[in-house]
Amino acid sequence: RGGKARKGLQFAVVVTGLIFVVELVGGWLSGSLALMADAGHMATDLFALLISFLAIKFSAKPSTKERSYGYFRLEIIAALINGVILCIAALFITVEAWKRISMPKDIETIEMLSFGMVGLAANIVNAILLRKEKDNSVNVKAAYVHILSDLAGSLGVVGGAILIQLTGLMVLDSFISFFIAVLIVRSALNIIKEAVNVLMESVPKELDIGDIEKTLLDFDHVQNLHDLHVWALTSGVNALSCHLKVDDLQEGQKLLLPIHRELKEKYNIDHVTIQLED
């Protein structure tokens, strides 16, 4: 896990944390629920960034006698909790937005626009920081997707402030809040789904177990295989185990290193356990 990715995430955590506070204060001062909702969205993305940062940091810790795989699953447990909190936050935003449709509150659009622009600028900076490293780490890629989602929320706040200023329709603030709530739920459901799939030891979505089976059978001396299992220890850390039937055990032993190399290079599978059978 690269040092550049860790530094990029660390800077993104600091920037996102500061903008969360700024938008929260801005929402309170302007009376804008949309700005408060976007602050909540920033808070959830801050938590997601922290998960990604801590996952990279903890993955470097050695395994122990009690935790033979180390601390990989902490990321998944935290992600599951994060997803549930996201859904609860979106529910509260939706309920409050619904109430405001019937009783719109006055909004200070200049303050809403100013604080929204600050959030938009911060999200643009974060996106630029993580863009280069997103293809090198699944964790960073997930964080990058969160930032893009937040960027859309900030655009909604800025656009809403301009529209309210031009039209005087305070109810637009509620509709923007609904939009941000949808963004939050969408992110939450993806997080929950991925976390549950890892905990259920499902085949990672980016891998095709049929293609992996074909790759193993294509090696010389391999006649058949059974009990093939592919799963993720955490996001981007994949494992495989299987029984390979070979026509010669000595030749089969020579295949282990090339098989490990092929699985790593082609499928990003780090942990491989193969039982040879005559």
Side-chain angles (χ1 to χ4, degrees):
R1 310 241 175 170
K4 289 183 178 179
R6 187 164 57 247
K7 288 180 180 178
L9 281 170
Q10 188 173 13
F11 190 81
V13 165
V14 173
V15 172
T16 305
L18 289 173
I19 300 308
F20 160 66
V21 175
V22 169
E23 287 198 340
L24 194 65
V25 173
W28 178 67
L29 291 176
S30 66
S32 169
L33 178 62
L35 194 54
M36 293 285 282
D38 197 45
H41 195 190
M42 290 287 280
T44 57
D45 282 348
L46 174 61
F47 193 71
L49 287 168
L50 279 170
I51 288 173
S52 298
F53 174 72
L54 292 174
I56 291 176
K57 188 174 181 179
F58 271 98
S59 66
K61 292 187 68 175
S63 59
T64 65
K65 291 181 179 179
E66 293 79 17
R67 296 180 176 85
S68 59
Y69 273 124
Y71 296 85
F72 290 128
R73 287 287 167 91
L74 281 177
E75 174 197 8
I76 303 305
I77 294 170
L80 186 59
I81 295 171
N82 183 18
V84 173
I85 293 172
L86 275 165
C87 289
I88 295 171
L91 178 62
F92 277 107
I93 291 168
T94 303
V95 170
E96 182 63 24
W98 182 259
K99 290 179 181 178
R100 287 200 180 192
I101 288 179
S102 57
M103 292 188 300
K105 294 185 178 181
D106 290 335
I107 297 168
E108 300 295 333
T109 53
I110 300 301
E111 284 85 345
M112 180 182 175
L113 178 62
S114 300
F115 285 105
M117 288 293 290
V118 173
L120 179 62
N123 284 314
I124 291 173
V125 171
N126 280 341
I128 292 171
L129 281 171
L130 298 181
R131 185 172 181 274
K132 291 183 180 179
E133 295 298 322
K134 68 181 176 66
D135 295 327
N136 300 324
S137 167
V138 175
N139 276 319
V140 177
K141 187 175 182 179
Y144 181 72
V145 171
H146 274 282
I147 293 299
L148 291 183
S149 176
D150 228 5
L151 186 59
S154 295
L155 281 171
V157 171
V158 171
I162 294 172
L163 286 174
I164 293 170
Q165 178 68 23
L166 293 174
T167 64
L169 295 173
M170 301 298 172
V171 74
L172 289 174
D173 186 59
S174 293
F175 289 116
I176 296 166
S177 301
F178 284 135
F179 167 69
I180 295 173
V182 170
L183 291 179
I184 293 174
V185 170
R186 184 182 175 188
S187 298
L189 292 179
N190 286 333
I191 291 169
I192 291 172
K193 182 180 178 182
E194 183 176 352
V196 169
N197 282 339
V198 172
L199 293 174
M200 291 292 292
E201 299 191 343
S202 304
V203 177
K205 62 182 179 180
E206 70 272 13
L207 298 180
D208 183 343
I209 196 166
D211 187 56
I212 294 172
E213 181 177 357
K214 184 178 182 300
T215 296
L216 292 171
L217 290 173
D218 283 343
F219 278 91
D220 293 334
H221 304 289
V222 176
Q223 295 181 320
N224 207 341
L225 63 84
H226 63 92
D227 289 331
L228 174 61
H229 301 285
V230 182
W231 70 99
L233 300 176
T234 186
S235 300
V237 182
N238 302 320
L240 175 148
S241 70
C242 70
H243 290 242
L244 286 185
K245 184 179 180 181
V246 295
D247 56 17
D248 186 301
L249 284 177
Q250 286 188 336
E251 293 298 326
Q253 289 289 341
K254 297 176 184 178
L255 290 177
L256 293 179
L257 186 59
I259 288 175
H260 280 242
R261 188 183 301 117
E262 180 79 2
L263 291 174
K264 173 60 180 174
E265 293 177 355
K266 192 172 182 180
Y267 304 106
N268 192 33
I269 297 177
D270 303 277
H271 301 269
V272 177
T273 304
I274 295 176
Q275 175 67 49
L276 295 176
E277 295 179 357
D278 195 354

